Amino acid sequence: MTTNDRASPILEISNLSISFFTRLREIPAVMDFSLGVQAGEAVGLVGESGCGKSTVALGVMRDLGVNGRITEGTIRFKGEDLGAMGEEELRRIRGNEIAMIYQEPMASLNPSLRIANQLMEVPMIHEEIDAEEARRRALEVVSDVKLPDPERILKSYPHQLSGGQQQRIVIAMALMSKPSLLILDEPTTALDVTVEAAVIELVKGLGEKYGSSMIFISHNLGLVLETCDRICVMYSGEAVETGVIDEVFNKMRHPYTQALFRSIPLPGADKNERPLKAIPGNFPLPHERPPGCNFGPRCDYFEAGRCDGGKIPMAPLAENETHHTRCLKFDEIDWDAPLDALEKKGKVEPGKVVLKTEGLKKYYEVAANALFGGDTRTVKANEALSFEAREGETLAIVGESGCGKSTFAKVLMGLETATEGEISIGEQSIEGIPIEERGTETIADVQMVFQNPFDTLNPSMDVGRQIIRALEIFRYGDSDDERRQRMLELLDLVKLPRDFAERMPRQLSGGQKQRVGIARAFAGGARIVVADEPVSALDVSVQAAVTDLLMEIQRTEKTTLLFISHDLSIVRYLSDRVLVMYLGHVVELGATDQVFTPPYHPYTEALLSAVPIADTAIEKQHIVLEGDIPSAMNPPSGCPFQTRCHWKHEVADGLCEREVPPIKDIGDGHQIKCHLGMNALGRMKPVISLASDD
């Protein structure tokens, strides 16, 4: 992607304001927003949920629905005012010259049509070409997005493709008419980190091949760093900082940008020595914005009578006119001043073994044909898992979707029973006891914090009652008064005001709902808490607060935390040990420093390479996994990872294809399940290193 041609932006947004109109009021969603996108340039749009990123994109597409309206400003595409166009002209441009890729691929695909028909439709409608030429072009773009066996893919229905393949088809659909502008709205949020890396690599390559300009909407600063030339940071409907990527990342000049970076776990962050700093307060609702600076109530540098005195314009930096900020004090703040030392936390030394898993297997018998029955096939979801977890320890379990992480959690919780092997808590074996047959104490001992806080609360019951209900199930206390007092103490524990007991779930933000979920999990004095992607549905600024809350409660309660995640940045920050799973097997297990330092299992190496890191001082090895994770119904012979391993050539005589590797201890309890010899393992280089390192 190039940024040489600065003469005429392909897209020019000037002083744009967008509102949504309800029966009660006008809700301003975007205000005074300006942005230019040059030919061949990629611009990243970042900010928390509700900041207006997607509204800007929908404004460009002129797809704001019946309630949305552009109230001020203009959007020009190739010099033409989109706001002045009629429906016929817009149809000519939308999907043809400007294409949009949405977050959820299945929302963009018709489940009843083959992929070929859906792709061919685009140029046949927009360019009126014949079916033969449209099919030829469909075959070309399916090859361009690097899908295997394009002819088979074209004949498939969407449900026959994996999530990563579906997203590639949506990208192919957007490219069918070779658009001048491509808008990507969180295109990788629902994908595994390895698939995300492959899709991002693909998008960058296609941008260069087709010469398309891009607007890349994301909350992930690491992804924006890897894909974009420039960045626009949004907060509460406004652009607050814009500039070239390196300038904004290294010389940020808005307090919100600075606060965002302080709340994400970059390499070097440590939960005890250098805890993350969450942004205080909450994101303002559109109709409750403060006077003056929208970020003022949460800003470390707020000055009453000045920052809240009136509208604040975007201003260029004196030394760099391409870098703009919406802050009155940007040239008064010492941006290089060290962060005020946050309170250091005492390291919790792990205690006795609380959880022991030995040779655990979980197989499912499923019909080979879901509709008509017939022969059964065996799905090997967990294959001989063996590990221990200690009191007060955080053990992270990582791997792609389908690797068996959640299956293990279900067996531990009693939602499934084991096929073979043992899980013991203390002296009690629980692998064969379903939850309905477990005693109250056992159920209270193992609790779970779920991924999506929106789905785990009863919408018709207030917060206090939901926590008291958990206390009743765990038979806590002898009276309602005792349970109510404990409920209030639990609200204190998760740092929610006590008057939240009277609130309904709809009155809570996502982070507040997750705190209620955590309070419920700890209501019975849990010894083990399974946190299944507990922060992945939350904004980065809220993630820091919820993560540190979990850590603080763990220190107080001496809880064992099993942290299931695909986000290796947050895993590196908070875990004591890491267990890496692939296709039901434990392929690596060790202390966090061991797992993040070579030698690695080849799969761990690929996972680390796929993690986007929002730090310009970091260099990464480039390893993109080919192909999809195999089906647990039909796993490959030998090593489960051998079909995707780029180290396989180091092992002689086809051993990787023939035999499951043994688990080898390479020192200090660091275990790797791999046929590679110590000589090959010793030649592995660090995947993540400082740019100044050799």
Side-chain angles (χ1 to χ4, degrees), residues 270-291:
D270 181 281
K271 65 181 179 183
N272 299 312
E273 293 294 319
R274 294 175 58 194
L276 302 178
K277 184 180 180 185
I279 302 176
N282 292 312
F283 196 79
L285 294 172
H287 58 283
E288 295 176 352
R289 291 187 177 109

mmCIF file with all atom_site columns, all heavy atoms in Angstrom, residues 270-291:
data_model
loop_
_atom_site.group_PDB
_atom_site.id
_atom_site.type_symbol
_atom_site.label_atom_id
_atom_site.label_alt_id
_atom_site.label_comp_id
_atom_site.label_asym_id
_atom_site.label_entity_id
_atom_site.label_seq_id
_atom_site.pdbx_PDB_ins_code
_atom_site.Cartn_x
_atom_site.Cartn_y
_atom_site.Cartn_z
_atom_site.occupancy
_atom_site.B_iso_or_equiv
_atom_site.pdbx_formal_charge
_atom_site.auth_seq_id
_atom_site.auth_comp_id
_atom_site.auth_asym_id
_atom_site.auth_atom_id
_atom_site.pdbx_PDB_model_num
ATOM 1   N N   . ASP A 1 270 ? 3.432   -6.820  33.921 1.00 0.00 ? 270 ASP A N   1
ATOM 2   C CA  . ASP A 1 270 ? 3.477   -7.887  34.922 1.00 0.00 ? 270 ASP A CA  1
ATOM 3   C C   . ASP A 1 270 ? 2.381   -7.621  35.942 1.00 0.00 ? 270 ASP A C   1
ATOM 4   O O   . ASP A 1 270 ? 2.267   -6.514  36.468 1.00 0.00 ? 270 ASP A O   1
ATOM 5   C CB  . ASP A 1 270 ? 4.853   -7.908  35.597 1.00 0.00 ? 270 ASP A CB  1
ATOM 6   C CG  . ASP A 1 270 ? 4.967   -9.012  36.631 1.00 0.00 ? 270 ASP A CG  1
ATOM 7   O OD1 . ASP A 1 270 ? 4.459   -8.822  37.755 1.00 0.00 ? 270 ASP A OD1 1
ATOM 8   O OD2 . ASP A 1 270 ? 5.555   -10.064 36.321 1.00 0.00 ? 270 ASP A OD2 1
ATOM 9   N N   . LYS A 1 271 ? 1.571   -8.639  36.216 1.00 0.00 ? 271 LYS A N   1
ATOM 10  C CA  . LYS A 1 271 ? 0.401   -8.430  37.070 1.00 0.00 ? 271 LYS A CA  1
ATOM 11  C C   . LYS A 1 271 ? 0.789   -8.016  38.491 1.00 0.00 ? 271 LYS A C   1
ATOM 12  O O   . LYS A 1 271 ? -0.018  -7.417  39.205 1.00 0.00 ? 271 LYS A O   1
ATOM 13  C CB  . LYS A 1 271 ? -0.469  -9.686  37.099 1.00 0.00 ? 271 LYS A CB  1
ATOM 14  C CG  . LYS A 1 271 ? 0.193   -10.904 37.741 1.00 0.00 ? 271 LYS A CG  1
ATOM 15  C CD  . LYS A 1 271 ? -0.726  -12.096 37.698 1.00 0.00 ? 271 LYS A CD  1
ATOM 16  C CE  . LYS A 1 271 ? -0.058  -13.329 38.317 1.00 0.00 ? 271 LYS A CE  1
ATOM 17  N NZ  . LYS A 1 271 ? -0.907  -14.516 38.228 1.00 0.00 ? 271 LYS A NZ  1
ATOM 18  N N   . ASN A 1 272 ? 2.016   -8.336  38.919 1.00 0.00 ? 272 ASN A N   1
ATOM 19  C CA  . ASN A 1 272 ? 2.457   -7.974  40.264 1.00 0.00 ? 272 ASN A CA  1
ATOM 20  C C   . ASN A 1 272 ? 3.306   -6.706  40.272 1.00 0.00 ? 272 ASN A C   1
ATOM 21  O O   . ASN A 1 272 ? 3.062   -5.781  41.033 1.00 0.00 ? 272 ASN A O   1
ATOM 22  C CB  . ASN A 1 272 ? 3.255   -9.131  40.884 1.00 0.00 ? 272 ASN A CB  1
ATOM 23  C CG  . ASN A 1 272 ? 2.417   -10.395 41.010 1.00 0.00 ? 272 ASN A CG  1
ATOM 24  O OD1 . ASN A 1 272 ? 1.293   -10.345 41.488 1.00 0.00 ? 272 ASN A OD1 1
ATOM 25  N ND2 . ASN A 1 272 ? 2.949   -11.517 40.562 1.00 0.00 ? 272 ASN A ND2 1
ATOM 26  N N   . GLU A 1 273 ? 4.317   -6.655  39.383 1.00 0.00 ? 273 GLU A N   1
ATOM 27  C CA  . GLU A 1 273 ? 5.255   -5.535  39.381 1.00 0.00 ? 273 GLU A CA  1
ATOM 28  C C   . GLU A 1 273 ? 4.730   -4.323  38.604 1.00 0.00 ? 273 GLU A C   1
ATOM 29  O O   . GLU A 1 273 ? 4.927   -3.189  39.002 1.00 0.00 ? 273 GLU A O   1
ATOM 30  C CB  . GLU A 1 273 ? 6.596   -5.985  38.769 1.00 0.00 ? 273 GLU A CB  1
ATOM 31  C CG  . GLU A 1 273 ? 7.340   -7.016  39.608 1.00 0.00 ? 273 GLU A CG  1
ATOM 32  C CD  . GLU A 1 273 ? 7.807   -6.447  40.941 1.00 0.00 ? 273 GLU A CD  1
ATOM 33  O OE1 . GLU A 1 273 ? 8.270   -5.299  40.969 1.00 0.00 ? 273 GLU A OE1 1
ATOM 34  O OE2 . GLU A 1 273 ? 7.672   -7.151  41.959 1.00 0.00 ? 273 GLU A OE2 1
ATOM 35  N N   . ARG A 1 274 ? 4.101   -4.577  37.446 1.00 0.00 ? 274 ARG A N   1
ATOM 36  C CA  . ARG A 1 274 ? 3.631   -3.483  36.589 1.00 0.00 ? 274 ARG A CA  1
ATOM 37  C C   . ARG A 1 274 ? 2.201   -3.749  36.138 1.00 0.00 ? 274 ARG A C   1
ATOM 38  O O   . ARG A 1 274 ? 1.952   -4.084  34.988 1.00 0.00 ? 274 ARG A O   1
ATOM 39  C CB  . ARG A 1 274 ? 4.552   -3.328  35.375 1.00 0.00 ? 274 ARG A CB  1
ATOM 40  C CG  . ARG A 1 274 ? 5.955   -2.874  35.728 1.00 0.00 ? 274 ARG A CG  1
ATOM 41  C CD  . ARG A 1 274 ? 6.846   -2.848  34.494 1.00 0.00 ? 274 ARG A CD  1
ATOM 42  N NE  . ARG A 1 274 ? 6.308   -1.970  33.458 1.00 0.00 ? 274 ARG A NE  1
ATOM 43  C CZ  . ARG A 1 274 ? 6.739   -1.966  32.202 1.00 0.00 ? 274 ARG A CZ  1
ATOM 44  N NH1 . ARG A 1 274 ? 7.692   -2.794  31.822 1.00 0.00 ? 274 ARG A NH1 1
ATOM 45  N NH2 . ARG A 1 274 ? 6.226   -1.138  31.316 1.00 0.00 ? 274 ARG A NH2 1
ATOM 46  N N   . PRO A 1 275 ? 1.237   -3.627  37.073 1.00 0.00 ? 275 PRO A N   1
ATOM 47  C CA  . PRO A 1 275 ? -0.152  -3.913  36.695 1.00 0.00 ? 275 PRO A CA  1
ATOM 48  C C   . PRO A 1 275 ? -0.671  -2.907  35.678 1.00 0.00 ? 275 PRO A C   1
ATOM 49  O O   . PRO A 1 275 ? -0.185  -1.777  35.575 1.00 0.00 ? 275 PRO A O   1
ATOM 50  C CB  . PRO A 1 275 ? -0.914  -3.804  38.030 1.00 0.00 ? 275 PRO A CB  1
ATOM 51  C CG  . PRO A 1 275 ? -0.020  -3.066  38.950 1.00 0.00 ? 275 PRO A CG  1
ATOM 52  C CD  . PRO A 1 275 ? 1.379   -3.264  38.482 1.00 0.00 ? 275 PRO A CD  1
ATOM 53  N N   . LEU A 1 276 ? -1.665  -3.358  34.896 1.00 0.00 ? 276 LEU A N   1
ATOM 54  C CA  . LEU A 1 276 ? -2.302  -2.475  33.917 1.00 0.00 ? 276 LEU A CA  1
ATOM 55  C C   . LEU A 1 276 ? -3.063  -1.367  34.645 1.00 0.00 ? 276 LEU A C   1
ATOM 56  O O   . LEU A 1 276 ? -3.485  -1.533  35.793 1.00 0.00 ? 276 LEU A O   1
ATOM 57  C CB  . LEU A 1 276 ? -3.280  -3.266  33.045 1.00 0.00 ? 276 LEU A CB  1
ATOM 58  C CG  . LEU A 1 276 ? -2.711  -4.441  32.258 1.00 0.00 ? 276 LEU A CG  1
ATOM 59  C CD1 . LEU A 1 276 ? -3.833  -5.131  31.486 1.00 0.00 ? 276 LEU A CD1 1
ATOM 60  C CD2 . LEU A 1 276 ? -1.611  -3.996  31.320 1.00 0.00 ? 276 LEU A CD2 1
ATOM 61  N N   . LYS A 1 277 ? -3.249  -0.252  33.950 1.00 0.00 ? 277 LYS A N   1
ATOM 62  C CA  . LYS A 1 277 ? -4.026  0.840   34.523 1.00 0.00 ? 277 LYS A CA  1
ATOM 63  C C   . LYS A 1 277 ? -5.332  0.972   33.756 1.00 0.00 ? 277 LYS A C   1
ATOM 64  O O   . LYS A 1 277 ? -5.341  1.378   32.592 1.00 0.00 ? 277 LYS A O   1
ATOM 65  C CB  . LYS A 1 277 ? -3.251  2.154   34.469 1.00 0.00 ? 277 LYS A CB  1
ATOM 66  C CG  . LYS A 1 277 ? -4.013  3.292   35.156 1.00 0.00 ? 277 LYS A CG  1
ATOM 67  C CD  . LYS A 1 277 ? -3.281  4.604   35.112 1.00 0.00 ? 277 LYS A CD  1
ATOM 68  C CE  . LYS A 1 277 ? -4.113  5.678   35.817 1.00 0.00 ? 277 LYS A CE  1
ATOM 69  N NZ  . LYS A 1 277 ? -3.523  7.013   35.710 1.00 0.00 ? 277 LYS A NZ  1
ATOM 70  N N   . ALA A 1 278 ? -6.431  0.598   34.384 1.00 0.00 ? 278 ALA A N   1
ATOM 71  C CA  . ALA A 1 278 ? -7.742  0.699   33.737 1.00 0.00 ? 278 ALA A CA  1
ATOM 72  C C   . ALA A 1 278 ? -8.155  2.161   33.660 1.00 0.00 ? 278 ALA A C   1
ATOM 73  O O   . ALA A 1 278 ? -7.762  2.986   34.493 1.00 0.00 ? 278 ALA A O   1
ATOM 74  C CB  . ALA A 1 278 ? -8.775  -0.094  34.528 1.00 0.00 ? 278 ALA A CB  1
ATOM 75  N N   . ILE A 1 279 ? -8.948  2.505   32.632 1.00 0.00 ? 279 ILE A N   1
ATOM 76  C CA  . ILE A 1 279 ? -9.461  3.874   32.505 1.00 0.00 ? 279 ILE A CA  1
ATOM 77  C C   . ILE A 1 279 ? -10.570 4.050   33.543 1.00 0.00 ? 279 ILE A C   1
ATOM 78  O O   . ILE A 1 279 ? -11.521 3.261   33.571 1.00 0.00 ? 279 ILE A O   1
ATOM 79  C CB  . ILE A 1 279 ? -10.010 4.127   31.090 1.00 0.00 ? 279 ILE A CB  1
ATOM 80  C CG1 . ILE A 1 279 ? -8.916  3.869   30.041 1.00 0.00 ? 279 ILE A CG1 1
ATOM 81  C CG2 . ILE A 1 279 ? -10.530 5.550   30.960 1.00 0.00 ? 279 ILE A CG2 1
ATOM 82  C CD1 . ILE A 1 279 ? -9.387  3.989   28.602 1.00 0.00 ? 279 ILE A CD1 1
ATOM 83  N N   . PRO A 1 280 ? -10.473 5.049   34.416 1.00 0.00 ? 280 PRO A N   1
ATOM 84  C CA  . PRO A 1 280 ? -11.507 5.196   35.454 1.00 0.00 ? 280 PRO A CA  1
ATOM 85  C C   . PRO A 1 280 ? -12.845 5.610   34.855 1.00 0.00 ? 280 PRO A C   1
ATOM 86  O O   . PRO A 1 280 ? -12.914 6.153   33.749 1.00 0.00 ? 280 PRO A O   1
ATOM 87  C CB  . PRO A 1 280 ? -10.931 6.309   36.352 1.00 0.00 ? 280 PRO A CB  1
ATOM 88  C CG  . PRO A 1 280 ? -10.019 7.091   35.458 1.00 0.00 ? 280 PRO A CG  1
ATOM 89  C CD  . PRO A 1 280 ? -9.450  6.096   34.479 1.00 0.00 ? 280 PRO A CD  1
ATOM 90  N N   . GLY A 1 281 ? -13.916 5.359   35.618 1.00 0.00 ? 281 GLY A N   1
ATOM 91  C CA  . GLY A 1 281 ? -15.239 5.803   35.190 1.00 0.00 ? 281 GLY A CA  1
ATOM 92  C C   . GLY A 1 281 ? -15.797 4.993   34.037 1.00 0.00 ? 281 GLY A C   1
ATOM 93  O O   . GLY A 1 281 ? -15.254 3.955   33.659 1.00 0.00 ? 281 GLY A O   1
ATOM 94  N N   . ASN A 1 282 ? -16.882 5.482   33.464 1.00 0.00 ? 282 ASN A N   1
ATOM 95  C CA  . ASN A 1 282 ? -17.569 4.776   32.388 1.00 0.00 ? 282 ASN A CA  1
ATOM 96  C C   . ASN A 1 282 ? -17.723 5.665   31.159 1.00 0.00 ? 282 ASN A C   1
ATOM 97  O O   . ASN A 1 282 ? -17.709 6.892   31.247 1.00 0.00 ? 282 ASN A O   1
ATOM 98  C CB  . ASN A 1 282 ? -18.970 4.323   32.851 1.00 0.00 ? 282 ASN A CB  1
ATOM 99  C CG  . ASN A 1 282 ? -18.891 3.253   33.919 1.00 0.00 ? 282 ASN A CG  1
ATOM 100 O OD1 . ASN A 1 282 ? -18.163 2.280   33.770 1.00 0.00 ? 282 ASN A OD1 1
ATOM 101 N ND2 . ASN A 1 282 ? -19.620 3.445   35.007 1.00 0.00 ? 282 ASN A ND2 1
ATOM 102 N N   . PHE A 1 283 ? -17.879 5.012   30.021 1.00 0.00 ? 283 PHE A N   1
ATOM 103 C CA  . PHE A 1 283 ? -18.114 5.663   28.736 1.00 0.00 ? 283 PHE A CA  1
ATOM 104 C C   . PHE A 1 283 ? -19.446 6.424   28.816 1.00 0.00 ? 283 PHE A C   1
ATOM 105 O O   . PHE A 1 283 ? -20.449 5.853   29.242 1.00 0.00 ? 283 PHE A O   1
ATOM 106 C CB  . PHE A 1 283 ? -18.186 4.545   27.697 1.00 0.00 ? 283 PHE A CB  1
ATOM 107 C CG  . PHE A 1 283 ? -18.051 4.989   26.283 1.00 0.00 ? 283 PHE A CG  1
ATOM 108 C CD1 . PHE A 1 283 ? -16.804 5.271   25.754 1.00 0.00 ? 283 PHE A CD1 1
ATOM 109 C CD2 . PHE A 1 283 ? -19.164 5.105   25.461 1.00 0.00 ? 283 PHE A CD2 1
ATOM 110 C CE1 . PHE A 1 283 ? -16.668 5.655   24.431 1.00 0.00 ? 283 PHE A CE1 1
ATOM 111 C CE2 . PHE A 1 283 ? -19.036 5.493   24.141 1.00 0.00 ? 283 PHE A CE2 1
ATOM 112 C CZ  . PHE A 1 283 ? -17.774 5.770   23.627 1.00 0.00 ? 283 PHE A CZ  1
ATOM 113 N N   . PRO A 1 284 ? -19.511 7.710   28.421 1.00 0.00 ? 284 PRO A N   1
ATOM 114 C CA  . PRO A 1 284 ? -20.782 8.450   28.544 1.00 0.00 ? 284 PRO A CA  1
ATOM 115 C C   . PRO A 1 284 ? -21.810 8.011   27.503 1.00 0.00 ? 284 PRO A C   1
ATOM 116 O O   . PRO A 1 284 ? -21.461 7.709   26.363 1.00 0.00 ? 284 PRO A O   1
ATOM 117 C CB  . PRO A 1 284 ? -20.358 9.902   28.301 1.00 0.00 ? 284 PRO A CB  1
ATOM 118 C CG  . PRO A 1 284 ? -19.140 9.811   27.436 1.00 0.00 ? 284 PRO A CG  1
ATOM 119 C CD  . PRO A 1 284 ? -18.434 8.543   27.851 1.00 0.00 ? 284 PRO A CD  1
ATOM 120 N N   . LEU A 1 285 ? -23.067 7.973   27.902 1.00 0.00 ? 285 LEU A N   1
ATOM 121 C CA  . LEU A 1 285 ? -24.145 7.708   26.944 1.00 0.00 ? 285 LEU A CA  1
ATOM 122 C C   . LEU A 1 285 ? -24.284 8.914   26.024 1.00 0.00 ? 285 LEU A C   1
ATOM 123 O O   . LEU A 1 285 ? -23.981 10.052  26.419 1.00 0.00 ? 285 LEU A O   1
ATOM 124 C CB  . LEU A 1 285 ? -25.450 7.442   27.695 1.00 0.00 ? 285 LEU A CB  1
ATOM 125 C CG  . LEU A 1 285 ? -25.480 6.164   28.546 1.00 0.00 ? 285 LEU A CG  1
ATOM 126 C CD1 . LEU A 1 285 ? -26.741 6.112   29.395 1.00 0.00 ? 285 LEU A CD1 1
ATOM 127 C CD2 . LEU A 1 285 ? -25.355 4.929   27.674 1.00 0.00 ? 285 LEU A CD2 1
ATOM 128 N N   . PRO A 1 286 ? -24.759 8.701   24.782 1.00 0.00 ? 286 PRO A N   1
ATOM 129 C CA  . PRO A 1 286 ? -24.811 9.810   23.812 1.00 0.00 ? 286 PRO A CA  1
ATOM 130 C C   . PRO A 1 286 ? -25.582 11.031  24.294 1.00 0.00 ? 286 PRO A C   1
ATOM 131 O O   . PRO A 1 286 ? -25.233 12.156  23.972 1.00 0.00 ? 286 PRO A O   1
ATOM 132 C CB  . PRO A 1 286 ? -25.483 9.173   22.594 1.00 0.00 ? 286 PRO A CB  1
ATOM 133 C CG  . PRO A 1 286 ? -25.196 7.723   22.709 1.00 0.00 ? 286 PRO A CG  1
ATOM 134 C CD  . PRO A 1 286 ? -25.174 7.425   24.174 1.00 0.00 ? 286 PRO A CD  1
ATOM 135 N N   . HIS A 1 287 ? -26.653 10.815  25.086 1.00 0.00 ? 287 HIS A N   1
ATOM 136 C CA  . HIS A 1 287 ? -27.454 11.963  25.538 1.00 0.00 ? 287 HIS A CA  1
ATOM 137 C C   . HIS A 1 287 ? -26.994 12.484  26.905 1.00 0.00 ? 287 HIS A C   1
ATOM 138 O O   . HIS A 1 287 ? -27.629 13.355  27.489 1.00 0.00 ? 287 HIS A O   1
ATOM 139 C CB  . HIS A 1 287 ? -28.944 11.589  25.597 1.00 0.00 ? 287 HIS A CB  1
ATOM 140 C CG  . HIS A 1 287 ? -29.240 10.426  26.487 1.00 0.00 ? 287 HIS A CG  1
ATOM 141 N ND1 . HIS A 1 287 ? -28.985 9.127   26.110 1.00 0.00 ? 287 HIS A ND1 1
ATOM 142 C CD2 . HIS A 1 287 ? -29.740 10.361  27.743 1.00 0.00 ? 287 HIS A CD2 1
ATOM 143 C CE1 . HIS A 1 287 ? -29.331 8.314   27.081 1.00 0.00 ? 287 HIS A CE1 1
ATOM 144 N NE2 . HIS A 1 287 ? -29.795 9.040   28.085 1.00 0.00 ? 287 HIS A NE2 1
ATOM 145 N N   . GLU A 1 288 ? -25.868 11.957  27.409 1.00 0.00 ? 288 GLU A N   1
ATOM 146 C CA  . GLU A 1 288 ? -25.356 12.405  28.710 1.00 0.00 ? 288 GLU A CA  1
ATOM 147 C C   . GLU A 1 288 ? -23.900 12.857  28.614 1.00 0.00 ? 288 GLU A C   1
ATOM 148 O O   . GLU A 1 288 ? -23.153 12.793  29.576 1.00 0.00 ? 288 GLU A O   1
ATOM 149 C CB  . GLU A 1 288 ? -25.473 11.260  29.740 1.00 0.00 ? 288 GLU A CB  1
ATOM 150 C CG  . GLU A 1 288 ? -26.903 10.854  30.043 1.00 0.00 ? 288 GLU A CG  1
ATOM 151 C CD  . GLU A 1 288 ? -26.979 9.663   30.996 1.00 0.00 ? 288 GLU A CD  1
ATOM 152 O OE1 . GLU A 1 288 ? -25.922 9.074   31.293 1.00 0.00 ? 288 GLU A OE1 1
ATOM 153 O OE2 . GLU A 1 288 ? -28.090 9.326   31.435 1.00 0.00 ? 288 GLU A OE2 1
ATOM 154 N N   . ARG A 1 289 ? -23.491 13.294  27.418 1.00 0.00 ? 289 ARG A N   1
ATOM 155 C CA  . ARG A 1 289 ? -22.102 13.722  27.252 1.00 0.00 ? 289 ARG A CA  1
ATOM 156 C C   . ARG A 1 289 ? -21.835 14.979  28.084 1.00 0.00 ? 289 ARG A C   1
ATOM 157 O O   . ARG A 1 289 ? -22.687 15.863  28.172 1.00 0.00 ? 289 ARG A O   1
ATOM 158 C CB  . ARG A 1 289 ? -21.796 13.985  25.784 1.00 0.00 ? 289 ARG A CB  1
ATOM 159 C CG  . ARG A 1 289 ? -21.784 12.715  24.941 1.00 0.00 ? 289 ARG A CG  1
ATOM 160 C CD  . ARG A 1 289 ? -21.302 12.999  23.525 1.00 0.00 ? 289 ARG A CD  1
ATOM 161 N NE  . ARG A 1 289 ? -21.214 11.767  22.746 1.00 0.00 ? 289 ARG A NE  1
ATOM 162 C CZ  . ARG A 1 289 ? -22.027 11.441  21.767 1.00 0.00 ? 289 ARG A CZ  1
ATOM 163 N NH1 . ARG A 1 289 ? -23.022 12.242  21.446 1.00 0.00 ? 289 ARG A NH1 1
ATOM 164 N NH2 . ARG A 1 289 ? -21.862 10.311  21.092 1.00 0.00 ? 289 ARG A NH2 1
ATOM 165 N N   . PRO A 1 290 ? -20.631 15.101  28.646 1.00 0.00 ? 290 PRO A N   1
ATOM 166 C CA  . PRO A 1 290 ? -20.302 16.280  29.463 1.00 0.00 ? 290 PRO A CA  1
ATOM 167 C C   . PRO A 1 290 ? -20.056 17.505  28.580 1.00 0.00 ? 290 PRO A C   1
ATOM 168 O O   . PRO A 1 290 ? -19.813 17.368  27.377 1.00 0.00 ? 290 PRO A O   1
ATOM 169 C CB  . PRO A 1 290 ? -19.012 15.847  30.167 1.00 0.00 ? 290 PRO A CB  1
ATOM 170 C CG  . PRO A 1 290 ? -18.378 14.889  29.213 1.00 0.00 ? 290 PRO A CG  1
ATOM 171 C CD  . PRO A 1 290 ? -19.511 14.152  28.559 1.00 0.00 ? 290 PRO A CD  1
ATOM 172 N N   . PRO A 1 291 ? -20.089 18.693  29.151 1.00 0.00 ? 291 PRO A N   1
ATOM 173 C CA  . PRO A 1 291 ? -19.729 19.879  28.369 1.00 0.00 ? 291 PRO A CA  1
ATOM 174 C C   . PRO A 1 291 ? -18.234 19.873  28.054 1.00 0.00 ? 291 PRO A C   1
ATOM 175 O O   . PRO A 1 291 ? -17.434 19.299  28.792 1.00 0.00 ? 291 PRO A O   1
ATOM 176 C CB  . PRO A 1 291 ? -20.091 21.045  29.305 1.00 0.00 ? 291 PRO A CB  1
ATOM 177 C CG  . PRO A 1 291 ? -20.048 20.460  30.681 1.00 0.00 ? 291 PRO A CG  1
ATOM 178 C CD  . PRO A 1 291 ? -20.478 19.027  30.532 1.00 0.00 ? 291 PRO A CD  1
#
